[in-house]
Amino acid sequence: MKELKEIVNAFYVAQKAGKQTALATVVHVEGSSYRRAGARMLVTDDGQLTGAISGGCLEGDALRKALLVMAQQQPLLVTYDTTDDDDAKFGVGLGCNGVIHILIEPISIADASNPVNFFNLFLSKREPAVLITIFNMEDRHAAQYGTSLLFDQRGGISGALPASTISDAVLVDAAEVLRSGNTTTKTYFYQDNYTCFIELLQPSVSLVIVGAGNDAIPLMQMAKVLGWQITIVDGRANYATAARFPLADKLIVAKPHEVTPQIKLDKRTVFMLMTHNYNYDAALLKYILPLQTPYIGVLGPKKRLARMLAELSDDAVLVKENSDLVYGPAGLNIGSENAEEIALSILSEIQSVLNNRNGQSLRDMPVVHDRSNVNNFQLIK
């Protein structure tokens, strides 16, 4: 969600400076592309770009289209066919081997349903939500409605769809996206052709780093580059300080049994135990293991973790049901040696676990991005 935060911040800076803005969103991809559907870029009328919709090959042309959108104050759907060998007709070197549909919409602060307001509403909570963007992929000259509605896990709705006839069907699909965790694109036929990009928005990862030693510093720094929220925990007040961890969102100095009550837990909260103090790590593991967070990393050799789990054997059910959530030694096997390399290894493992991936090389995968959940069609009578 780092990109969304940067776009929101850039929008308010532009507003303060009296600049017009437009938002470019990748709403649908057929084949291969550098960015998937949901990638966004904010464009100002003086050519400033925040975010990205490609690896740099589409931004120049999208900027020109965005200036037209700002002048006309009408959304525009642009399609780039990068499967064409003659990329030169775009004036750029593409080569992504896919068809990329980008919706560019003007943003008006006077419109309560503008995309930035939806982004703000989502970012104000640590809860997943679904963002619905409406366009017409069959007729690029037809009305392109743009970002229309935000749907949260409590059934709350902000915004409105352009046609009440498709509302029930779209909201059913939005609820399914929240349940399954799979973003989708679906076309609804009723008089007009409505293509809906039903996008799952997930809160940023909340990483709790237990241990304020020197090796925790690069882990914090790299995680912050990813836009993650960082909490530093340690029992030593002279280690867990703002001077040592200036990028941390929260610092906790506490004994093991005092830690979890001070942390707001959700499905995107992960722990990394790296105090190098066996007793502290083992004691805290006893408290966080029942929480069923998706990832608990433990630094150190396998024997160290095995001993910790053995000491919890008085509650064999607890260990058996939750031991799969514990990763120790933490990290992917990338040959890490120093603190920075170990941090990279740990963050890569956390990312793979949260995205249900196994960390294998993309070269060895037959399909990189499974697009079987797109191009669905529904006839509304």
Side-chain angles (χ1 to χ4, degrees), residues 28-33 79-83 97-101:
H28 188 64
V29 173
E30 302 162 45
S32 177
S33 67
T79 299
Y80 297 96
D81 186 353
T82 68
T83 61
N97 198 31
V99 180
I100 306 162
H101 303 273

Side-chain angles (χ1 to χ4, degrees), residues 20-23 43-45 60-78 104-106 141:
Q20 285 189 303
T21 55
L23 183 70
V43 182
T44 64
D45 56 13
D61 189 70
L63 168 59
R64 291 187 287 272
K65 299 291 196 306
L67 293 175
L68 176 64
V69 164
M70 284 182 255
Q72 297 181 343
Q73 287 296 297
Q74 291 293 331
L76 175 68
L77 184 68
V78 183
I104 306 174
E105 52 187 313
H141 300 291

Side-chain angles (χ1 to χ4, degrees), residues 154-308:
R154 294 183 176 85
I157 297 173
S158 300
L161 297 175
S164 59
T165 50
I166 66 169
S167 294
D168 290 343
V170 172
L171 293 179
V172 167
D173 289 330
E176 174 60 20
V177 165
L178 274 175
R179 187 199 65 78
S180 68
N182 294 318
T183 291
T184 187
T185 300
K186 197 164 186 178
T187 301
Y188 302 82
F189 290 108
Y190 181 84
Q191 295 178 348
D192 294 321
N193 181 336
Y194 298 101
T195 309
C196 299
F197 175 41
I198 307 175
E199 177 188 7
L200 178 66
L201 301 178
Q202 291 273 31
S204 60
V205 177
S206 175
L207 172 61
V208 182
I209 302 174
V210 182
N214 290 342
D215 54 351
I217 294 175
L219 184 62
M220 170 199 66
Q221 292 169 335
M222 292 185 186
K224 209 61 183 177
V225 169
L226 297 173
W228 294 7
Q229 292 187 6
I230 310 297
T231 300
I232 301 294
V233 176
D234 204 296
R236 303 165 293 182
N238 60 324
Y239 274 67
T241 66
R244 285 173 52 77
F245 296 93
L247 300 179
D249 298 283
K250 187 174 185 178
L251 296 169
I252 297 176
V253 178
K255 296 178 181 179
H257 70 277
E258 300 171 332
V259 173
T260 55
Q262 299 184 60
I263 297 174
K264 184 177 180 181
L265 298 168
D266 56 44
K267 294 181 179 179
R268 301 277 286 177
T269 302
V270 298
F271 286 83
M272 183 62 219
L273 307 186
M274 51 191 303
T275 66
H276 301 282
N277 180 322
Y278 176 85
N279 291 330
Y280 193 99
D281 284 354
L284 185 55
L285 181 62
K286 178 181 179 180
Y287 290 102
I288 64 177
L289 197 58
L291 303 177
Q292 296 187 323
T293 58
Y295 179 95
I296 302 171
V298 181
L299 207 62
K302 287 186 177 181
K303 287 184 178 179
R304 184 173 184 269
L305 175 58
R307 179 184 167 192
M308 288 183 186

Side-chain angles (χ1 to χ4, degrees), residues 319-371:
V319 175
K320 182 178 180 181
E321 291 183 351
N322 299 291
S323 60
D324 287 346
L325 305 175
V326 182
Y327 294 79
L332 297 182
N333 182 15
I334 60 173
S336 303
E337 292 292 339
N338 59 40
E340 289 77 14
E341 293 170 351
I342 292 171
L344 175 62
S345 169
I346 291 170
L347 294 175
S348 298
E349 182 175 57
I350 294 172
Q351 183 80 0
S352 67
V353 169
L354 292 178
N355 290 327
N356 195 27
R357 298 291 190 270
N358 60 12
Q360 73 181 105
S361 295
L362 296 178
R363 180 195 64 181
D364 299 328
M365 296 179 61
V367 177
V368 176
H369 297 308
D370 182 8
R371 306 195 191 282

Side-chain angles (χ1 to χ4, degrees), residues 110-123:
D111 180 8
S113 295
N114 74 68
V116 173
N117 282 349
F118 290 138
F119 300 159
N120 268 328
L121 187 58
F122 163 69
L123 293 170

